[in-house]
Amino acid sequence: MKKVVCDTYDDLSLFAADIFTRQLKSKADSVFGLATGSTPIGLYDELVRRYNAGEIDFSNARSFNLDEYYPIDPGHPQSYRSFMEKHLFSRVNFSSTRVLDGEASNPHAECAAYDAEVEAAGGIDLQLLGLGVNGHIAFIEPDTSYPLASYLVELAGDTLKANSRFFTEDEKQPTSALSAGLSTIFSSKHIMMLVTGANKAEVIKKMFEGVVYTDIPASLLHLHPNVTVVVDKAANGE
Ligand code: F6R
């Protein structure tokens, strides 16, 4: 697991956009694994800028998102489908985008269908990850065991607290989510995790102690051969 330290959040976003650009240039029909949350917004804005400047083209590329609240109407302003439409999908030209369906009547069948679609696409070429303050990746919350397949997960208290900032008092925050499982994430050819801000410094420090902590899902990434963790100075504890 390699760590790259960028001075600022803007530098981190540019670095990540360069990795995306290189991936697209080397394989126009790349399959991207995408994340939501505050962290990738700078990256998505930069990808849109490059797309508008004619520097990159997603017309042959496909995307799969890591997770979605459950239950939630995909049209709800806080759904991850809405987030992706707003920040990226409506602004560039992916050939297809897949977000787990927050309204699926059978969440288990929805997860199985999602895993099968990722596999049929040949797996993810470049998987983008954020990092939860509690060490979660996607919505794989700290636990004593982890399902390999995508699954319906009850969100941890830390996650609910961290994400409550997005919901108004009238909007009911879902307490569960559908999340990609470890198999899908680990079958990615390259994983790039973006981490910004001093509130993630403690978990970043633990991730780089050279130990796999079973209660820090992100530390399991040590077992993947091609992981780049891009942090800004604040997340690096500087
Ligand atoms: C979201 C996701 C989550 C976030 C994480 C960090 O799709 O997979 O694991 O990446 O909760 O969120 P932010 O970037 O808001 O700190």
Side-chain angles (χ1 to χ4, degrees), residues 20-167:
F20 265 69
T21 302
R22 272 206 291 280
Q23 177 65 43
L24 260 181
K25 301 258 184 213
S26 69
K27 187 175 179 232
D29 61 349
S30 287
V31 180
F32 289 96
L34 300 177
T36 59
S38 308
T39 311
I41 291 177
L43 160 67
Y44 294 158
D45 285 344
E46 176 61 16
L47 291 178
V48 171
R49 193 197 64 71
R50 292 182 191 194
Y51 168 74
N52 287 332
E55 295 167 21
I56 50 175
D57 169 37
F58 294 88
S59 60
N60 291 306
R62 284 171 290 175
S63 75
F64 289 87
N65 262 78
L66 282 168
D67 41 22
E68 176 61 285
Y69 288 117
Y70 189 85
I72 199 164
D73 175 346
H76 187 288
Q78 297 311 328
S79 79
Y80 284 176
R81 166 54 79 178
S82 293
F83 175 98
M84 291 306 302
E85 291 296 335
K86 176 174 168 201
H87 291 284
L88 192 64
F89 296 159
S90 67
R91 304 162 79 197
V92 300
N93 62 340
F94 273 104
S95 80
S96 73
T97 61
R98 173 70 157 104
V99 180
L100 283 149
D101 181 1
E103 263 187 339
S105 54
N106 181 339
H108 309 292
E110 170 62 2
C111 287
Y114 171 89
D115 285 345
E117 286 168 46
V118 174
E119 200 180 330
I124 308 281
D125 290 304
L126 175 61
Q127 175 66 61
L128 176 65
L129 292 180
L131 175 66
V133 277
N134 62 358
H136 75 208
I137 49 174
F139 272 142
I140 301 174
E141 298 285 24
D143 209 334
T144 48
S145 65
Y146 300 101
L148 292 172
S150 301
Y151 65 121
L152 174 63
V153 57
E154 208 173 298
L155 296 173
D158 291 337
T159 303
L160 290 172
K161 203 169 131 202
N163 288 3
S164 63
R165 69 189 193 275
F166 298 114
F167 290 84

